[in-house]
Amino acid sequence: MLKQYRLKNYRIRLVIYVVLLTLLGIAVIGSAEKSVQNKQILGMCLGLAAMLVVSLIDYSFILKFSWLIYLFNIGLLLLIFVIGDNSKGATRWIEIAGIRFQPSELSKICLILFFAYFFAKYQENLNTIKILGISVVLGGIPLALIYKQPDLSTTIVTALIFIALLFIAGLSYKIILGVLGITVPAALVLISLILQPDQKILNGYQYERIMGWLEPEKYPDTVYQQQNSIMAIGSGQLWGKGLNNTDVASVKNGDFISESQTDFIFSVAGEELGFVGGVLIIFLLLAIALECILISRKAKDLSGKLICCGVAAMLGFQGFVNICVVTGMMPNTGLTLPFVSYGLTSLVSCFIGIGLVLNVGLQPRKYG
């Protein structure tokens, strides 16, 4: 389980990027909602501890329990429908022994681990109908449970992670082109059906978010938060208004963005740290994802490569979607910004993912 690792292989640069981004997030969260800042600091401490422990455990040992991890994941997602807390029409949280957490956040890490094992084991037969079919079924079960909560945004991001893992594992380009040839026209048909007023595909609030994004003047109550977010970012200009400012013209100070410490934390950063602060957050997130990819290139086996690329995909896709939503480039989805948004489950899960990547980096492929 534990090996004699060389300190020189421990990617301190990745740790520095993660810590800097988390500290920046804590500072912005304190300005957005002071009452939860200490909880986020606690989340960072727990996350760092989890990252350190996980980084020293051989990932090959962890992958021996892949099926248990998969079943544990399914169990947690099913448990939501038994004892989950309902909030604003969605059931996404579980509270056990006074600890409240969101299973779908941990689910992403569980799926990365499971498919890192599964795709590596069946690498030679990956492009057969049997293995592809089994993969889709195994991936589809947790996706269906997440969608049922309902949580469409997390379902989409998790599906993108699965697709990224499948591609990295060696999916044939012929299959990719064939799937694209079918899915692109199907997606266009689906979008046209969704845009119909009497559509039954999406829930009411999901339909309103999409239509509000396309036609904001017709759905002002649905998109007011997104419009205020864009206004806040623009008002920050180059250097921002400063953290914890008392500017009466501040969008954040006027409470025009509800729960700004979570999904819309980037709007607070844009307003108070300006363009420079926003670019810094994007740079750090990009640097973390790229560092994961660089580590994957030296992984000793396909499983390690898939773990690194899976974590990079998780952070990259989620960060991209969150920032697109906050800046009005996508409909509102309700996704957190990795390492920056308030939320202990999301934060600790991201740190666990980084811990796995660090362990892959501690066991580089030997040449010669």
Side-chain angles (χ1 to χ4, degrees):
M1 184 172 75
L2 295 176
K3 292 186 175 182
Q4 295 296 320
Y5 301 118
R6 293 184 178 182
L7 184 60
K8 70 174 185 177
N9 290 327
Y10 205 87
R11 299 300 282 257
I12 301 298
R13 185 170 55 198
L14 175 59
V15 176
I16 291 173
Y17 290 151
V18 168
V19 170
L20 285 176
L21 184 57
T22 308
L23 289 174
L24 186 57
I26 289 171
V28 179
I29 287 169
S31 182
E33 185 59 59
K34 190 69 176 179
S35 62
V36 299
Q37 188 178 38
N38 287 337
K39 290 183 180 179
Q40 190 75 353
I41 294 173
L42 174 62
M44 176 181 172
C45 294
L46 291 173
L48 284 170
M51 180 190 74
L52 179 62
V53 171
V54 172
S55 70
L56 297 177
I57 300 176
D58 186 355
Y59 70 88
S60 298
F61 174 79
I62 296 175
L63 293 182
K64 291 180 180 179
F65 304 94
S66 294
W67 280 103
L68 288 178
I69 292 171
Y70 181 83
L71 294 174
F72 170 76
N73 180 33
I74 299 301
L76 274 183
L77 293 174
L78 286 172
L79 195 60
I80 290 177
F81 302 104
V82 180
I83 61 172
D85 294 336
N86 187 286
S87 177
K88 299 179 181 179
T91 308
R92 303 173 184 172
W93 297 86
I94 292 177
E95 185 168 341
I96 300 176
I99 300 175
R100 191 167 182 262
F101 62 98
Q102 191 173 356
S104 59
E105 292 292 339
L106 188 60
S107 178
K108 299 169 193 171
I109 300 296
C110 291
L111 285 178
I112 290 171
L113 285 171
F114 175 76
F115 282 109
Y117 155 81
F118 186 84
F119 289 152
K121 181 177 180 180
Y122 296 102
Q123 181 182 6
E124 299 298 326
N125 301 313
L126 181 64
N127 292 296
T128 62
I129 295 177
K130 178 181 178 181
I131 298 301
L132 284 175
I134 293 173
S135 300
V136 170
V137 171
L138 290 173
I141 293 172
L143 286 174
L145 292 174
I146 294 172
Y147 178 77
K148 188 69 176 176
Q149 296 178 9
D151 192 349
L152 179 60
S153 55
T154 302
T155 304
I156 292 172
V157 169
T158 308
L160 289 173
I161 295 170
F162 171 77
I163 293 170
L165 289 172
L166 193 55
F167 175 75
I168 297 298
L171 184 64
S172 169
Y173 283 98
K174 292 181 180 179
I175 296 177
I176 294 173
L177 292 174
V179 171
L180 287 175
I182 297 172
T183 55
V184 170
L188 293 175
V189 172
L190 180 63
I191 291 171
S192 65
L193 292 174
I194 288 174
L195 295 179
Q196 300 301 315
D198 58 346
Q199 64 85 33
K200 303 296 182 181
I201 300 171
L202 298 179
N203 292 325
Y205 80 95
Q206 293 169 339
Y207 173 77
E208 288 182 3
R209 284 182 176 182
I210 293 174
M211 295 307 299
W213 177 64
L214 294 172
E215 302 175 337
E217 67 282 353
K218 294 184 180 180
Y219 298 85
D221 294 338
T222 302
V223 297
Y224 78 93
Q225 182 157 311
Q226 197 169 30
Q227 295 297 314
N228 289 335
S229 169
I230 297 170
M231 189 187 305
I233 294 171
S235 69
Q237 299 185 42
L238 183 61
W239 296 103
K241 300 174 182 177
L243 289 172
N244 303 299
N245 71 79
T246 57
D247 188 346
V248 293
S250 167
V251 178
K252 186 258 310 183
N253 292 339
D255 290 327
F256 291 108
I257 302 176
S258 60
E259 301 293 328
S260 58
Q261 72 274 14
T262 55
D263 305 343
F264 281 81
I265 193 67
F266 190 78
S267 65
V268 180
E271 182 176 44
E272 303 200 339
L273 300 177
F275 177 79
V276 173
V279 169
L280 179 59
I281 289 175
I282 294 172
F283 168 79
L284 287 172
L285 194 56
L286 179 61
I288 292 169
L290 288 176
E291 196 68 24
C292 292
I293 293 172
L294 289 174
I295 292 173
S296 76
R297 297 179 64 185
K298 296 182 179 180
K300 68 178 183 180
D301 55 22
L302 180 60
S303 293
K305 183 178 182 179
L306 289 171
I307 287 173
C308 293
C309 291
V311 173
M314 178 184 76
L315 300 177
F317 286 135
Q318 191 162 323
F320 176 79
V321 171
N322 177 275
I323 293 173
C324 281
V325 167
V326 174
T327 54
M329 296 172 65
M330 286 179 123
N332 195 353
T333 59
L335 279 175
T336 56
L337 184 58
F339 298 110
V340 182
S341 293
Y342 170 69
L344 270 62
T345 312
S346 173
L347 184 61
V348 173
S349 295
C350 288
F351 270 105
I352 291 173
I354 295 298
L356 291 166
V357 173
L358 288 169
N359 185 260
V360 175
L362 283 171
Q363 305 179 68
R365 180 170 66 249
K366 295 179 180 179
Y367 296 93

